[in-house]
């Protein structure tokens, strides 16, 4: 099956896939439908290996239909040099501008005012942020060259890991090229003139609701989950119900014209979310600053192997900063013949490990080759500069 790349417009590939009887597509124009076709094509060609194909029910575009003028603007930014777009990244690529002077486009889940957008702007202050319906759409937008990067929450100091993004990292072939910490200040937002006493219902992202459990219980509010914090603020503002409030940021309040009834309503004053930045190309590992490396691996046998894996780092004085385990859905049970006691069954897990070293360092390279000796699967998700600020 053939795919023809007709041109690269505004960082998006204009593609046609004659074998599927499809017309050329341009990011932003009927994006979802074209995306599905390209998706099928990618799966047929096994470009990125096995993946789940999620049927997309709605025909809603990721971005509103582009009008003629927008299209013309996009077309004027033609870039036919495909090769220049697929080079590995260096720390200089942490700039908000690309080598051709155009702004870096960064996808995030949510609507303007979401913490994920704060993270994108913290990492690339002058970037163009591109809102996406869900985390998966943000990954897809990078894969389809509609944006340059995506920023995704991965871990929160109060709520813990965002498991969905660990799973998506494995399913998609993107690379982690950076991390950014955002200090989360959850606020209680209501319609102008509304008092706390009038509130009955509270909307927000499930993580935000969990992080504010104590305050929300004291206020006796009924929780309603929303796609993202800013999306919740947008709903409260547009519905105009006086008993409904949102948990979101001060910036979201300003964008949607809501009143900040109380700031820092989270149960723990210090509430930091770690976001990762993913791109199509990996970052070239260097040693000019502190680097972190993220890997995912699995073992044939159980708990002793994890101990051995951690010893690999300890032996080389490498500090690991995070371990997360996720079930191996394709192989949920490992059956062990336990001689005269019968057959034991264990769940099988993938382990995600972050450690503080650059792949440019011999000690990190030797740690990975050591791990390879007993891991049944090992993938480097990325080696990237650490966010050493708060
Ligand atoms: O909903 C948002 O604004 C997000 O970006 C996700 C999120 C939710 C709660 C804390 C940090 C990030």
């Amino acid at each position: 099956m053939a795919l023809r790349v007709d041109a690269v417009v505004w960082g998006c590939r204009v593609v046609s896939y004659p074998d599927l009887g499809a017309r050329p597509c341009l990011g932003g124009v009927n994006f979802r439908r074209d995306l599905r076709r390209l998706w099928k094509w990618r799966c047929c060609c096994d470009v990125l290996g096995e993946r789940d194909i999620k049927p997309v029910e709605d025909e809603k575009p990721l971005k509103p239909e582009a009008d003629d003028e927008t299209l013309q603007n996009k077309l004027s930014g033609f870039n036919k040099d495909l090769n220049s777009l697929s080079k590995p990244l260096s720390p200089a690529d942490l700039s908000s501008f690309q080598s051709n002077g155009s702004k870096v486009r960064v996808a995030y889940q949510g609507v303007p005012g979401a913490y994920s957008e704060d993270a994108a702007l913290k990492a690339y202050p002058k970037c163009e942020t591109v809102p996406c319906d869900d985390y998966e759409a943000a990954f897809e937008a990078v894969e389809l060259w509609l944006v340059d990067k995506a920023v995704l929450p991965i871990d929160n100091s109060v709520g813990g890991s965002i498991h969905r993004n660990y799973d998506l990292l494995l399913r998609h072939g993107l690379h982690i090229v950076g991390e950014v910490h955002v200090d989360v200040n959850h606020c209680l937002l209501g319609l102008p003139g509304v008092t706390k006493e009038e509130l009955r219902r509270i909307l927000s992202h499930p993580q935000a609701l969990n992080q504010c459990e104590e305050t929300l219980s004291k206020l006796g509010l009924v929780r309603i989950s929303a796609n993202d914090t800013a999306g919740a603020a947008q709903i409260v503002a547009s519905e105009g119900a006086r008993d409904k409030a949102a948990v979101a940021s001060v910036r979201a309040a300003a964008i949607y014209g809501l009143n900040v009834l109380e700031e820092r309503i989270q149960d723990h004053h210090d509430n930091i979310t770690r976001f990762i930045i993913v791109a199509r190309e990996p970052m070239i590992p260097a040693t000019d600053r502190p680097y972190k490396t993220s890997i995912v691996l699995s073992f044939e046998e159980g708990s002793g192997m994890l101990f051995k894996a951690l010893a690999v780092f300890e032996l080389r004085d490498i500090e690991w900063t995070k371990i997360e385990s996720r079930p191996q859905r394709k192989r949920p049970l490992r059956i062990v013949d336990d001689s005269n006691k019968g057959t034991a069954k264990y769940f099988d897990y993938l382990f995600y490990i972050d450690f503080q070293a650059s792949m440019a360092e011999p000690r990190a390279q030797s740690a990975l080759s050591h791990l390879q000796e007993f891991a049944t699967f090992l993938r480097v998700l990325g080696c990237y500069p650490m966010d050493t600020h708060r």
Side-chain angles (χ1 to χ4, degrees):
M1 192 162 297
L3 168 107
R4 206 176 64 223
V5 177
D6 295 327
V8 175
V9 180
W10 211 34
C12 312
R13 275 194 255 201
V14 177
V15 292
S16 51
Y17 3 93
D19 298 358
L20 290 171
R23 61 174 177 72
C25 85
L26 174 63
V29 180
N30 219 337
F31 171 75
R32 276 279 179 187
R33 198 185 57 208
D34 290 321
L35 185 147
R36 218 178 313 150
R37 289 201 181 109
L38 182 54
W39 208 237
K40 277 190 196 146
W41 175 83
R42 291 191 96 148
C43 295
C44 293
C45 297
D46 204 16
V47 171
L48 294 173
E50 268 182 72
R51 58 167 78 238
D52 293 334
I53 305 167
K54 190 179 80 171
V56 183
E57 277 91 37
D58 64 336
E59 284 284 332
K60 207 167 86 199
L62 178 78
K63 280 162 61 90
E65 293 275 324
D67 57 33
D68 281 354
E69 202 181 323
T70 320
L71 265 179
Q72 283 313 315
N73 288 342
K74 285 186 181 184
L75 287 163
S76 67
F78 256 92
N79 180 352
K80 294 202 168 78
D81 185 6
L82 253 182
N83 292 334
S84 72
L85 289 167
S86 49
K87 288 192 190 120
L89 305 176
S90 71
D93 292 305
L94 294 172
S95 134
S96 301
F97 297 95
Q98 312 210 69
S99 49
N100 64 7
S102 63
K103 278 186 179 179
V104 166
R105 285 165 55 80
V106 185
Y108 69 96
Q109 186 266 332
V111 295
Y115 292 111
S116 300
E117 192 188 35
D118 287 343
L121 291 167
K122 189 173 174 197
Y124 304 98
K126 300 224 166 77
C127 72
E128 184 185 340
T129 53
V130 180
C132 293
D133 282 350
D134 50 37
Y135 297 133
E136 177 120 44
F139 274 88
E140 288 168 354
V142 181
E143 285 182 331
L144 296 173
W145 295 65
L146 297 170
V147 295
D148 305 295
K149 296 180 172 89
V151 63
L152 303 142
I154 196 83
D155 206 2
N156 176 272
S157 60
V158 179
S161 297
I162 289 92
H163 293 137
R164 177 87 187 126
N165 284 330
Y166 275 99
D167 296 343
L168 288 171
L169 263 177
L170 192 70
R171 195 170 335 145
H172 293 265
L174 299 177
H175 306 270
I176 306 177
V177 297
E179 66 170 3
V180 57
H181 294 142
V182 171
D183 186 13
V184 173
N185 171 15
H186 287 314
C187 305
L188 184 65
L189 311 182
L191 288 172
V194 165
T195 60
K196 273 191 218 169
E197 291 67 38
E198 289 175 75
L199 301 177
R200 297 286 169 272
R201 296 174 288 173
I202 184 85
L203 259 81
S204 201
H205 186 282
Q207 275 259 350
L209 294 174
N210 284 342
Q211 292 162 21
C212 304
E213 184 58 37
E214 281 172 26
T215 315
L216 302 181
S217 294
K218 265 189 221 144
L219 291 169
L221 303 179
V222 174
R223 280 77 152 166
I224 304 170
S225 70
N227 280 348
D228 65 288
T229 55
Q234 193 181 44
I235 293 170
V236 169
S238 64
E239 285 186 356
R242 293 180 67 86
D243 70 330
K244 251 190 191 175
V247 175
S249 66
V250 175
R251 199 165 69 88
I255 293 175
Y256 301 104
L258 295 178
N259 195 21
V260 179
L261 290 163
E262 193 176 333
E263 278 201 45
R264 289 219 171 259
I265 59 163
Q266 60 257 32
D267 300 345
H268 299 270
H269 192 266
D270 273 340
N271 183 356
I272 295 165
T273 297
R274 177 178 171 248
F275 291 82
I276 49 167
I277 300 148
V278 295
R280 289 178 295 277
E281 303 85 20
M283 168 79 62
I284 304 171
T287 51
D288 57 325
R289 58 185 90 184
Y291 275 75
K292 200 183 254 186
T293 302
S294 297
I295 59 170
V296 52
L297 72 170
S298 64
F299 312 110
E300 195 52 56
E301 288 154 43
S303 55
M305 281 295 164
L306 180 59
F307 179 79
K308 205 169 152 184
L310 296 181
V312 161
F313 297 110
E314 193 59 37
L315 278 170
R316 292 165 179 86
D317 245 343
I318 299 176
E319 240 184 271
W320 51 267
T321 54
K322 172 92 199 270
I323 302 184
E324 182 61 56
S325 62
R326 296 292 300 143
Q328 291 216 47
R329 297 210 185 105
K330 289 205 176 118
R331 194 192 151 193
L333 280 180
R334 182 168 0 104
I335 318 270
V336 181
D337 187 358
D338 215 354
S339 59
N340 52 9
K341 289 198 201 97
T343 306
K345 293 187 179 77
Y346 300 104
F347 288 133
D348 240 329
Y349 286 96
L350 283 161
F351 295 97
Y352 291 77
I353 301 178
D354 292 344
F355 60 88
Q356 280 185 37
S358 164
M359 285 308 297
E361 293 178 66
R363 61 179 184 146
Q365 293 161 12
S366 92
L368 286 207
S369 47
H370 192 168
L371 281 177
Q372 251 168 343
E373 287 171 17
F374 56 95
T376 46
F377 164 78
L378 174 67
R379 184 173 137 200
V380 177
L381 295 168
C383 173
Y384 48 91
M386 277 169 65
D387 182 359
T388 48
H389 314 104
R390 257 201 75 152

